[in-house]
Amino acid sequence: MTNEMALSLIVLIPLLGALCNGFLLRSASVVWVCAVSTLAIALPFGLATYLFFTASLSNQVVSVSLFPWISVPFVDGSVFTLSYALTLDRLSVLFALIITGVGSLIHLYSGGYMSHEPRVYRFFAYLNLFIFSMLTLVLGSNMLVTFVGWEGVGVCSYLLIGYWYEDDANSMAAIKAFVVNRVGDVGFLLAMFFSFQLFHTLTYSEIATFVTQAPAGFFATHATVLTCLGLSLLLAVAGKSAQIPLYTWLPDAMAGPTPVSALIHAATMVTAGIYLMTRTSFLLVVSPVTMTTIACVGAATALFSATIGLAQTDIKRVLAYSTCSQLGYMVLACGVGLFQYGVAHVMIHAFFKACLFLGAGSVIYALHHEQDIRHMGGLFKKMPVTAVTFLLATLAIIGFPGFSGFFSKDAILAAAWTGPFGHPAFWFVGVITAGLTAFYMVRLTYLVFFGECRAHHPEQIHENHLGMTLPLIILAVLSVIGGAVALPEIWTGHSDVISEFLSPVLQPAQQVLAKVQAGHGAHLSPAAEGGLMGASVAVVLLCAIFAISVYRTGIDGAQKFTARIPALYALVRDKWRIDELYQCMIVAPLARLGEFFYSIIDRHVIEGAVNGFPEVLYAATSVSSDAQSGIVRSYLKLIFVGIVVFGVVLFI
Amino acid sequence: MVSLPEMGIYFSLLLFLVGLFGVMMRKNIIFMMLSVEVMLNSANLAFVSASAATNTIDGQVSMFFVMAVAACEAGVGLAMIIALYRARATLEVDELRILRG
């Protein structure tokens, strides 16, 4: 099999799986549906692994053009052509591996989690369609193919959040996610317009060639457009990766089934923004304004959503806000110019966050859809596998030394200080966020798995079967050892694996950065870097121990702190009331505008025109139809009058 | 002094108007048919008078055609009136308004 064929199959097999599930397996049992859809993701994972070893390790780029797509002739005689092409380089192979690898585990898990649902084929068809869209997103050769995947994941996310559509709240959450994502899509469209205006192409490799060969003056003359381009991309990223100000959809997206939360809203879709920024890194680094804005947005989101996570009581919402927060870290890493650590954190975060979500799903499933952590507790003995894997993933996310999250988070924190666009303030925000993360994740784990059991029916709780625990075990192992890709330089003496691996992808950005001579990060001595690392570890450990000491007495342990600041606590518990702010600042005026358009423009102008035309016709025809009275004698009189008139006219 | 054919023409005009107003004014279908017959016969009279005035035979030939057609028309018309009466139990033409638009 040629590499090109393998690349096409990676994208096509999940599509085939979706069609097969959607049309052929409508009445099949959940075992068959799950087997087919898992296979439709596992096969591409095998192919991606094959391509990883045959092509990507030797830095070979595989490209395949599936069909010519758009061809527009211009007035000056040139023709703009764009083909539906796929490209697999080192960045996309990494994402493809994450998507199909974590994806197939989650498909396997869904077979258990969704086993009691009616019409389960719909769920698996959407899941496969989602994987197809996501693979299109990361494998597209040009911005337009990426945009197809970008929209596709948005649609699948909408379908899956609203999977239990009988409930109004779920439908509203799905609509919210879709609409907020559309706001970000506007940014993507604008970015495409800007890049077409500047480079007359949308293909990434051509843009990269253009910017690396452009004279330094090019960047100075087009500085404004390039900054606008970067900020448009940031808007797109904020929509998809749930950054301030567009993050509000992600916590609500937890209305979907838990495997969806794990797959889409933690491991894959939300990382599309990080992929896009890394892919277009050479366009972002030319503008220090853009880079600083990205870093600020990332840092602000990391800190802000971590504070909300402190006071949530829904197990999935805590994880959702921690996802926002971790995505903030990744965006921060991209914003300071060290994109490879953002990608490393994407991968490691995919492992531990998928493990956390699937563990939460396992708990929710065992407790018959109970999601409130106030009604959990003491599950360690009842669900040992879930508890141990959840604990390992928690240690990974808080950055406990030696676990995967420690390495990627530490790399990001170091990058926030020393990166080309770094600043000590970013490091400071990152460390505070790490402390908050440690607090709320330890709080969550402790309240769910330790202490006394507060469940309604403790005797019914038992560990789930192997189909659900096997993915947990695999993901837990990965979230322990995944940090190997980002072993810091001060430990090993040479640069880390991920930087080496992604250096060809980030090469254009380096060249552009050297050309525009922007961004001079501080350089730290190994000793100072070790000191920073020690400081962050100390903060994390202190916060973790503090969390345990607070909640050791049970769920009410925090009351002696919250009672002193009731207003602030209520504000944090209500998510800083940002949703309410958006509601009255944006949604309500828009609704009023819509009401105006509906009641005035639509009801009177448009409906008036549409209904008025037949009314005029009807009035006109009723005059002539009234003449047809059916009274023969009046017809005769009319004939007589007609003849007389005719005769008069004829003879005069 | 008005000649006889000329008087026939005037009389036929009078007859035609009598028939025409009969058709327009009467409500009973049978009387309307009678009025139509009067109009046909006024036309016959006009044909004959014209024939006498011009000393040709064409008008008299036409008169025989009209008489034949009038006989057929009376037969068919009366048959239809009987059928109509059986169907609608009335001969009032104003009641028969199924062609109303």
Side-chain angles (χ1 to χ4, degrees):
Chain A
M1 179 165 33
T2 61
N3 286 347
E4 285 75 17
M5 203 170 160
L7 177 55
S8 325
L9 283 178
I10 287 179
V11 174
L12 291 179
I13 290 174
L15 179 63
L16 207 63
L19 294 175
C20 187
N21 274 324
F23 293 108
L24 299 181
L25 298 175
R26 293 175 77 97
S27 52
S29 74
V30 64
V31 178
W32 279 103
V33 177
C34 176
V36 167
S37 54
T38 308
L39 201 66
I41 310 303
L43 275 179
F45 178 67
L47 291 170
T49 317
Y50 166 78
L51 286 179
F52 177 80
F53 285 112
T54 56
S56 298
L57 272 188
S58 51
N59 196 23
Q60 190 187 339
V61 176
V62 184
S63 276
V64 58
S65 173
L66 294 182
F67 54 87
W69 191 12
I70 291 173
S71 177
V72 185
F74 288 126
V75 187
D76 61 2
S78 63
V79 181
F80 171 70
T81 54
L82 202 66
S83 58
Y84 200 95
L86 306 174
T87 301
L88 183 121
D89 63 358
R90 286 188 160 184
L91 178 63
S92 28
V93 80
L94 210 56
F95 270 86
L97 283 172
I98 299 169
I99 293 159
T100 52
V102 178
S104 47
L105 290 177
I106 291 172
H107 275 69
L108 181 65
Y109 175 92
S110 305
Y113 191 84
M114 304 298 284
S115 55
H116 301 305
E117 295 290 327
R119 299 186 303 280
V120 77
Y121 73 91
R122 199 161 60 90
F123 181 79
F124 282 97
Y126 292 162
L127 274 190
N128 277 4
L129 197 63
F130 168 78
I131 297 279
F132 161 73
S133 306
M134 193 67 203
L135 287 170
T136 309
L137 196 161
V138 299
L139 292 172
S141 298
N142 52 57
M143 290 172 109
L144 213 53
V145 177
T146 300
F147 191 62
V148 170
W150 191 271
E151 293 294 296
V153 292
V155 170
C156 293
S157 164
Y158 164 79
L159 291 170
L160 285 164
I161 295 169
Y163 179 73
W164 288 314
Y165 56 83
E166 291 91 347
D167 191 344
D168 258 2
N170 295 349
S171 298
M172 289 310 291
I175 291 169
K176 184 176 181 183
F178 195 71
V179 170
V180 174
N181 263 298
R182 295 296 308 170
V183 177
D185 295 342
V186 172
F188 201 129
L189 282 171
L190 284 176
M192 278 198 278
F193 299 153
F194 282 129
S195 73
F196 183 77
Q197 185 198 0
L198 279 179
F199 313 115
H200 302 290
T201 177
L202 294 176
T203 308
Y204 296 118
S205 56
E206 288 172 13
I207 300 176
T209 316
F210 189 99
V211 292
T212 47
Q213 288 174 356
F218 174 83
F219 301 107
T221 47
H222 295 97
T224 319
V225 181
L226 284 165
T227 305
C228 290
L229 171 55
L231 292 176
S232 311
L233 282 171
L234 174 61
L235 181 62
V237 168
K240 201 58 89 188
S241 288
Q243 297 297 297
I244 290 174
L246 299 178
Y247 73 95
T248 49
W249 67 270
L250 186 61
D252 284 19
M254 297 303 128
T258 308
V260 172
S261 310
L263 177 63
I264 298 185
H265 307 120
T268 55
M269 176 177 126
V270 289
T271 61
I274 315 302
Y275 167 79
L276 185 69
M277 282 200 287
T278 314
R279 178 58 77 203
T280 57
S281 51
F282 43 81
L283 291 176
L284 298 174
V285 293
V286 298
S287 165
V289 178
T290 307
M291 291 302 274
T292 311
T293 315
I294 293 173
C296 288
V297 166
T301 310
L303 184 63
F304 188 75
S305 42
T307 57
I308 302 177
L310 294 175
Q312 299 303 308
T313 51
D314 183 321
I315 184 170
K316 282 175 77 182
R317 271 187 189 272
V318 176
L319 293 177
Y321 281 108
S322 89
T323 304
C324 278
S325 175
Q326 299 298 313
L327 286 166
Y329 269 122
M330 300 174 208
V331 172
L332 173 64
C334 294
V336 297
L338 292 174
F339 297 89
Q340 64 268 35
Y341 297 125
V343 176
H345 202 53
V346 163
M347 189 181 94
I348 292 165
H349 175 257
F351 297 150
F352 63 63
K353 190 49 69 65
C355 185
L356 286 172
F357 261 114
L358 296 187
S362 181
V363 170
I364 293 167
Y365 187 77
L367 267 64
H368 304 288
H369 293 273
E370 174 63 70
Q371 297 195 6
D372 195 328
I373 54 174
R374 286 171 295 191
H375 299 132
M376 296 177 183
L379 299 179
F380 195 92
K381 289 203 183 69
K382 296 178 194 296
M383 307 178 69
V385 181
T386 306
V388 168
T389 52
F390 199 93
L391 191 60
L392 291 175
T394 303
L395 291 174
I397 192 178
I398 67 172
F400 195 81
F403 287 80
S404 61
F406 168 72
F407 297 107
S408 57
K409 192 175 283 187
D410 181 69
I412 289 173
L413 288 177
W417 191 305
T418 64
F421 298 91
H423 193 276
F426 293 141
W427 178 85
F428 199 66
V429 173
V431 168
I432 295 174
T433 308
L436 295 175
T437 309
F439 182 85
Y440 68 71
M441 283 311 298
V442 170
R443 163 182 180 265
L444 179 71
T445 313
Y446 194 83
L447 287 178
V448 172
F449 290 107
F450 298 95
E452 59 183 303
C453 188
R454 299 177 298 275
H456 295 305
H457 303 286
E459 67 287 349
Q460 292 178 4
I461 303 166
H462 55 83
E463 183 60 88
N464 293 305
H465 57 82
L466 189 66
M468 286 172 79
T469 51
L470 184 67
L472 287 176
I473 295 166
I474 297 173
L475 286 167
V477 169
L478 285 173
S479 48
V480 172
I481 62 170
V485 298
L487 284 179
E489 199 173 338
I490 54 167
W491 284 16
T492 55
H494 51 82
S495 62
D496 49 86
V497 180
I498 192 80
S499 301
E500 286 291 314
F501 188 73
L502 288 179
S503 60
V505 177
L506 297 170
Q507 188 78 34
Q510 299 294 337
Q511 290 177 18
V512 171
L513 205 53
K515 206 181 296 184
V516 297
Q517 291 167 344
H520 301 285
H523 188 75
L524 287 178
S525 65
E529 211 166 305
L532 293 183
M533 192 188 284
S536 67
V537 168
V539 169
V540 164
L541 290 180
L542 277 177
C543 287
I545 293 166
F546 180 60
I548 292 177
S549 72
V550 166
Y551 288 100
R552 202 187 42 205
T553 53
I555 185 73
D556 302 326
Q559 265 180 2
K560 60 176 179 274
F561 299 103
T562 56
R564 278 187 217 157
I565 41 166
L568 186 65
Y569 175 72
L571 200 60
V572 172
R573 192 193 53 210
D574 297 345
K575 305 159 245 169
W576 296 104
R577 308 222 170 94
I578 294 294
D579 278 317
E580 287 77 2
L581 182 73
Y582 283 180
Q583 183 69 34
C584 72
M585 293 286 287
I586 297 166
V587 180
L590 271 179
R592 273 202 294 279
L593 189 68
E595 179 63 34
F596 165 76
F597 276 120
Y598 172 68
S599 58
I600 306 293
I601 307 287
D602 199 69
R603 291 291 295 280
H604 291 102
V605 177
I606 295 177
E607 283 189 27
V610 170
N611 294 338
F613 186 62
E615 269 169 19
V616 169
L617 273 184
Y618 188 79
T621 51
S622 68
V623 171
S624 51
S625 81
D626 282 350
Q628 194 182 354
S629 59
I631 300 172
V632 178
R633 296 184 309 132
S634 74
Y635 294 173
L636 284 169
K637 282 168 196 161
L638 284 174
I639 291 170
F640 177 66
V641 170
I643 288 171
V644 168
V645 169
F646 185 71
V648 167
V649 169
L650 206 64
F651 287 105
I652 296 175
Chain B
M1 184 63 202
V2 181
S3 67
L4 191 63
E6 207 172 334
M7 278 178 71
I9 295 288
Y10 288 131
F11 186 58
S12 78
L13 182 62
L14 190 66
L15 267 184
F16 186 84
L17 288 176
V18 167
L20 185 63
F21 280 93
V23 170
M24 289 195 299
M25 297 304 167
R26 298 307 295 242
K27 288 184 180 175
N28 192 306
I29 297 179
I30 298 210
F31 282 97
M32 287 171 77
M33 274 207 61
L34 286 178
S35 304
V36 169
E37 294 296 323
V38 170
M39 286 162 76
L40 284 168
N41 282 313
S42 80
N44 282 348
L45 184 58
F47 274 127
V48 173
S49 305
S51 173
T54 55
N55 267 331
T56 53
I57 203 158
D58 305 9
Q60 296 177 35
V61 174
S62 296
M63 183 207 72
F64 280 110
F65 273 120
V66 172
M67 284 178 92
V69 171
C72 299
E73 181 253 327
V76 173
L78 283 170
M80 282 170 70
I81 287 169
I82 290 167
L84 197 63
Y85 184 75
R86 281 183 184 160
R88 308 296 294 267
T90 179
L91 289 178
E92 290 290 299
V93 76
D94 288 358
E95 302 285 313
L96 305 169
R97 294 178 61 185
I98 54 172
L99 284 178
R100 182 162 47 96

